[in-house]
Amino acid sequence: MNVEKTIEFILQSQAKAEERANRAEERANRADKRLDRLERIVTQLAVAGRRFRSDVRLFQSEVREFKTKVEEALSETTDKLNALIEVVDKTTSHNGKERK
């Protein structure tokens, strides 16, 4: 009888060990799936980050170009305004001299 109990104990222990191994394998498979998903997400984020960085650089370039054009236009407008002020000053000065 001791042999039968020993065999039964060994079989139960083996069954429990197999059950634990199966649960561990299932956990490992779920962890692998999560890791794969995270790797895909990180890859997508890296691609999006590079695209975003490229877009930002392009935008910065466009802003610099726009700023240069605005500065040139402002300088030209300032020159024209100064010329107009001179003309108005001369005109009002001549009008004032004629009145005297």
Side-chain angles (χ1 to χ4, degrees):
M1 239 184 359
N2 284 338
V3 173
E4 288 177 11
K5 285 184 181 182
T6 303
I7 292 173
E8 187 179 325
F9 174 77
I10 291 171
L11 290 175
Q12 286 176 354
S13 296
Q14 186 176 357
K16 287 179 183 179
E18 285 179 22
E19 185 180 325
R20 284 193 303 271
N22 287 338
R23 284 196 311 257
E25 187 176 344
E26 288 172 7
R27 283 193 306 270
N29 288 339
R30 287 193 306 268
D32 284 344
K33 287 179 183 178
R34 285 192 306 268
L35 183 59
D36 289 344
R37 184 173 54 91
L38 289 173
E39 286 174 344
R40 283 193 306 276
I41 290 170
V42 167
T43 300
Q44 290 171 349
L45 286 172
V47 168
R50 282 193 298 268
R51 192 177 315 123
F52 179 72
R53 186 177 57 209
S54 175
D55 290 348
V56 166
R57 286 182 179 157
L58 178 62
F59 179 73
Q60 286 174 332
S61 174
E62 290 171 353
V63 166
R64 277 191 226 95
E65 199 173 306
F66 178 76
K67 180 182 174 221
T68 301
K69 288 179 181 178
V70 167
E71 287 171 343
E72 290 171 357
L74 182 60
S75 176
E76 187 177 317
T77 302
T78 301
D79 292 345
K80 288 179 180 180
L81 182 59
N82 287 336
L84 178 61
I85 290 170
E86 282 183 40
V87 169
V88 170
D89 282 348
K90 287 180 184 177
T91 303
T92 56
S93 295
H94 290 296
N95 286 342
K97 288 182 184 176
E98 290 176 4
R99 289 184 187 167
K100 289 184 180 180

